[in-house]
PDB file of all heavy atoms in Angstrom:
ATOM      1  N   PRO F1140      12.132 -26.906  -0.256  1.00 93.00           N
ATOM      2  CA  PRO F1140      12.564 -27.871   0.796  1.00 93.00           C
ATOM      3  C   PRO F1140      11.713 -27.774   2.092  1.00 93.00           C
ATOM      4  O   PRO F1140      11.537 -28.740   2.807  1.00 93.00           O
ATOM      5  CB  PRO F1140      13.998 -27.514   1.152  1.00 93.00           C
ATOM      6  CG  PRO F1140      14.439 -26.536   0.077  1.00 93.00           C
ATOM      7  CD  PRO F1140      13.220 -26.031  -0.604  1.00 93.00           C
ATOM      8  N   GLU F1141      11.145 -26.586   2.370  1.00 93.00           N
ATOM      9  CA  GLU F1141      10.320 -26.395   3.587  1.00 93.00           C
ATOM     10  C   GLU F1141       9.308 -25.298   3.249  1.00 93.00           C
ATOM     11  O   GLU F1141       9.505 -24.499   2.312  1.00 93.00           O
ATOM     12  CB  GLU F1141      11.123 -26.036   4.783  1.00 93.00           C
ATOM     13  CG  GLU F1141      11.897 -24.752   4.612  1.00 93.00           C
ATOM     14  CD  GLU F1141      12.860 -24.490   5.818  1.00 93.00           C
ATOM     15  OE1 GLU F1141      13.291 -25.476   6.445  1.00 93.00           O
ATOM     16  OE2 GLU F1141      13.124 -23.316   6.084  1.00 93.00           O
ATOM     17  N   ALA F1142       8.244 -25.256   4.000  1.00 90.00           N
ATOM     18  CA  ALA F1142       7.212 -24.213   3.830  1.00 90.00           C
ATOM     19  C   ALA F1142       7.821 -22.844   4.180  1.00 90.00           C
ATOM     20  O   ALA F1142       8.548 -22.693   5.162  1.00 90.00           O
ATOM     21  CB  ALA F1142       6.004 -24.476   4.697  1.00 90.00           C
ATOM     22  N   VAL F1143       7.531 -21.825   3.325  1.00 88.00           N
ATOM     23  CA  VAL F1143       7.972 -20.485   3.592  1.00 88.00           C
ATOM     24  C   VAL F1143       6.789 -19.538   3.314  1.00 88.00           C
ATOM     25  O   VAL F1143       5.871 -19.860   2.620  1.00 88.00           O
ATOM     26  CB  VAL F1143       9.170 -20.070   2.686  1.00 88.00           C
ATOM     27  CG1 VAL F1143      10.368 -20.902   2.999  1.00 88.00           C
ATOM     28  CG2 VAL F1143       8.804 -20.102   1.243  1.00 88.00           C
ATOM     29  N   LEU F1144       6.867 -18.353   3.851  1.00 87.00           N
ATOM     30  CA  LEU F1144       5.922 -17.293   3.531  1.00 87.00           C
ATOM     31  C   LEU F1144       6.533 -16.460   2.447  1.00 87.00           C
ATOM     32  O   LEU F1144       7.528 -15.761   2.685  1.00 87.00           O
ATOM     33  CB  LEU F1144       5.574 -16.437   4.765  1.00 87.00           C
ATOM     34  CG  LEU F1144       4.603 -15.291   4.508  1.00 87.00           C
ATOM     35  CD1 LEU F1144       3.253 -15.789   3.924  1.00 87.00           C
ATOM     36  CD2 LEU F1144       4.385 -14.470   5.745  1.00 87.00           C
ATOM     37  N   LEU F1145       5.980 -16.569   1.274  1.00 91.00           N
ATOM     38  CA  LEU F1145       6.464 -15.771   0.126  1.00 91.00           C
ATOM     39  C   LEU F1145       6.041 -14.350   0.363  1.00 91.00           C
ATOM     40  O   LEU F1145       4.886 -14.040   0.696  1.00 91.00           O
ATOM     41  CB  LEU F1145       5.866 -16.330  -1.179  1.00 91.00           C
ATOM     42  CG  LEU F1145       6.211 -17.770  -1.487  1.00 91.00           C
ATOM     43  CD1 LEU F1145       5.381 -18.278  -2.646  1.00 91.00           C
ATOM     44  CD2 LEU F1145       7.668 -17.929  -1.771  1.00 91.00           C
ATOM     45  N   ARG F1146       6.958 -13.397   0.188  1.00 90.00           N
ATOM     46  CA  ARG F1146       6.727 -11.987   0.414  1.00 90.00           C
ATOM     47  C   ARG F1146       6.609 -11.244  -0.883  1.00 90.00           C
ATOM     48  O   ARG F1146       7.133 -11.665  -1.894  1.00 90.00           O
ATOM     49  CB  ARG F1146       7.901 -11.367   1.218  1.00 90.00           C
ATOM     50  CG  ARG F1146       8.102 -11.964   2.574  1.00 90.00           C
ATOM     51  CD  ARG F1146       7.071 -11.467   3.489  1.00 90.00           C
ATOM     52  NE  ARG F1146       7.203 -12.005   4.849  1.00 90.00           N
ATOM     53  CZ  ARG F1146       6.422 -11.702   5.873  1.00 90.00           C
ATOM     54  NH1 ARG F1146       5.422 -10.871   5.690  1.00 90.00           N
ATOM     55  NH2 ARG F1146       6.655 -12.224   7.034  1.00 90.00           N
ATOM     56  N   GLN F1147       5.899 -10.107  -0.882  1.00 90.00           N
ATOM     57  CA  GLN F1147       5.810  -9.224  -1.977  1.00 90.00           C
ATOM     58  C   GLN F1147       7.199  -8.925  -2.541  1.00 90.00           C
ATOM     59  O   GLN F1147       8.073  -8.592  -1.834  1.00 90.00           O
ATOM     60  CB  GLN F1147       5.135  -7.899  -1.549  1.00 90.00           C
ATOM     61  CG  GLN F1147       5.134  -6.781  -2.593  1.00 90.00           C
ATOM     62  CD  GLN F1147       3.935  -6.852  -3.532  1.00 90.00           C
ATOM     63  OE1 GLN F1147       2.930  -7.471  -3.278  1.00 90.00           O
ATOM     64  NE2 GLN F1147       4.071  -6.191  -4.646  1.00 90.00           N
ATOM     65  N   GLY F1148       7.389  -9.200  -3.869  1.00 91.00           N
ATOM     66  CA  GLY F1148       8.662  -8.931  -4.494  1.00 91.00           C
ATOM     67  C   GLY F1148       9.584 -10.119  -4.560  1.00 91.00           C
ATOM     68  O   GLY F1148      10.603 -10.052  -5.290  1.00 91.00           O
ATOM     69  N   ASP F1149       9.340 -11.205  -3.784  1.00 93.00           N
ATOM     70  CA  ASP F1149      10.168 -12.391  -3.934  1.00 93.00           C
ATOM     71  C   ASP F1149      10.073 -12.892  -5.349  1.00 93.00           C
ATOM     72  O   ASP F1149       9.065 -12.724  -6.020  1.00 93.00           O
ATOM     73  CB  ASP F1149       9.691 -13.496  -2.964  1.00 93.00           C
ATOM     74  CG  ASP F1149      10.090 -13.265  -1.541  1.00 93.00           C
ATOM     75  OD1 ASP F1149      10.953 -12.363  -1.251  1.00 93.00           O
ATOM     76  OD2 ASP F1149       9.603 -14.004  -0.676  1.00 93.00           O
ATOM     77  N   ARG F1150      11.128 -13.606  -5.797  1.00 94.00           N
ATOM     78  CA  ARG F1150      11.159 -14.193  -7.139  1.00 94.00           C
ATOM     79  C   ARG F1150      11.241 -15.727  -6.970  1.00 94.00           C
ATOM     80  O   ARG F1150      12.054 -16.223  -6.175  1.00 94.00           O
ATOM     81  CB  ARG F1150      12.340 -13.767  -7.957  1.00 94.00           C
ATOM     82  CG  ARG F1150      12.516 -12.243  -8.149  1.00 94.00           C
ATOM     83  CD  ARG F1150      11.561 -11.721  -9.204  1.00 94.00           C
ATOM     84  NE  ARG F1150      11.966 -10.404  -9.724  1.00 94.00           N
ATOM     85  CZ  ARG F1150      11.707  -9.248  -9.143  1.00 94.00           C
ATOM     86  NH1 ARG F1150      11.074  -9.216  -7.961  1.00 94.00           N
ATOM     87  NH2 ARG F1150      12.057  -8.083  -9.711  1.00 94.00           N
ATOM     88  N   LEU F1151      10.415 -16.439  -7.692  1.00 95.00           N
ATOM     89  CA  LEU F1151      10.454 -17.885  -7.741  1.00 95.00           C
ATOM     90  C   LEU F1151      11.347 -18.250  -8.960  1.00 95.00           C
ATOM     91  O   LEU F1151      11.040 -17.854 -10.089  1.00 95.00           O
ATOM     92  CB  LEU F1151       9.057 -18.506  -7.890  1.00 95.00           C
ATOM     93  CG  LEU F1151       8.085 -18.111  -6.774  1.00 95.00           C
ATOM     94  CD1 LEU F1151       6.703 -18.695  -7.090  1.00 95.00           C
ATOM     95  CD2 LEU F1151       8.582 -18.658  -5.449  1.00 95.00           C
ATOM     96  N   ALA F1152      12.443 -19.006  -8.693  1.00 94.00           N
ATOM     97  CA  ALA F1152      13.351 -19.379  -9.782  1.00 94.00           C
ATOM     98  C   ALA F1152      12.885 -20.677 -10.397  1.00 94.00           C
ATOM     99  O   ALA F1152      12.819 -21.708  -9.721  1.00 94.00           O
ATOM    100  CB  ALA F1152      14.756 -19.590  -9.176  1.00 94.00           C
ATOM    101  N   LEU F1153      12.521 -20.610 -11.654  1.00 96.00           N
ATOM    102  CA  LEU F1153      12.055 -21.790 -12.376  1.00 96.00           C
ATOM    103  C   LEU F1153      13.284 -22.543 -12.947  1.00 96.00           C
ATOM    104  O   LEU F1153      14.313 -21.946 -13.191  1.00 96.00           O
ATOM    105  CB  LEU F1153      11.128 -21.429 -13.515  1.00 96.00           C
ATOM    106  CG  LEU F1153       9.860 -20.605 -13.130  1.00 96.00           C
ATOM    107  CD1 LEU F1153       9.008 -20.321 -14.373  1.00 96.00           C
ATOM    108  CD2 LEU F1153       9.031 -21.337 -12.094  1.00 96.00           C
ATOM    109  N   GLU F1154      13.159 -23.851 -13.106  1.00 96.00           N
ATOM    110  CA  GLU F1154      14.235 -24.667 -13.585  1.00 96.00           C
ATOM    111  C   GLU F1154      14.786 -24.262 -14.943  1.00 96.00           C
ATOM    112  O   GLU F1154      15.953 -24.486 -15.269  1.00 96.00           O
ATOM    113  CB  GLU F1154      13.794 -26.127 -13.696  1.00 96.00           C
ATOM    114  CG  GLU F1154      13.527 -26.820 -12.353  1.00 96.00           C
ATOM    115  CD  GLU F1154      13.011 -28.204 -12.494  1.00 96.00           C
ATOM    116  OE1 GLU F1154      12.050 -28.393 -13.292  1.00 96.00           O
ATOM    117  OE2 GLU F1154      13.520 -29.097 -11.826  1.00 96.00           O
ATOM    118  N   ASP F1155      13.940 -23.624 -15.767  1.00 95.00           N
ATOM    119  CA  ASP F1155      14.367 -23.223 -17.100  1.00 95.00           C
ATOM    120  C   ASP F1155      15.007 -21.864 -17.146  1.00 95.00           C
ATOM    121  O   ASP F1155      15.321 -21.318 -18.212  1.00 95.00           O
ATOM    122  CB  ASP F1155      13.179 -23.298 -18.072  1.00 95.00           C
ATOM    123  CG  ASP F1155      12.059 -22.293 -17.817  1.00 95.00           C
ATOM    124  OD1 ASP F1155      12.264 -21.474 -16.832  1.00 95.00           O
ATOM    125  OD2 ASP F1155      11.076 -22.300 -18.527  1.00 95.00           O
ATOM    126  N   GLY F1156      15.268 -21.268 -15.976  1.00 94.00           N
ATOM    127  CA  GLY F1156      15.987 -20.008 -15.928  1.00 94.00           C
ATOM    128  C   GLY F1156      15.090 -18.770 -15.820  1.00 94.00           C
ATOM    129  O   GLY F1156      15.584 -17.669 -15.613  1.00 94.00           O
TER     130      GLY F1156
END
Side-chain angles (χ1 to χ4, degrees):
E1141 60 186 28
V1143 298
L1144 177 60
L1145 301 169
R1146 299 284 182 180
Q1147 172 86 19
D1149 283 349
R1150 306 280 199 278
L1151 302 175
L1153 303 181
E1154 291 175 313
D1155 65 3

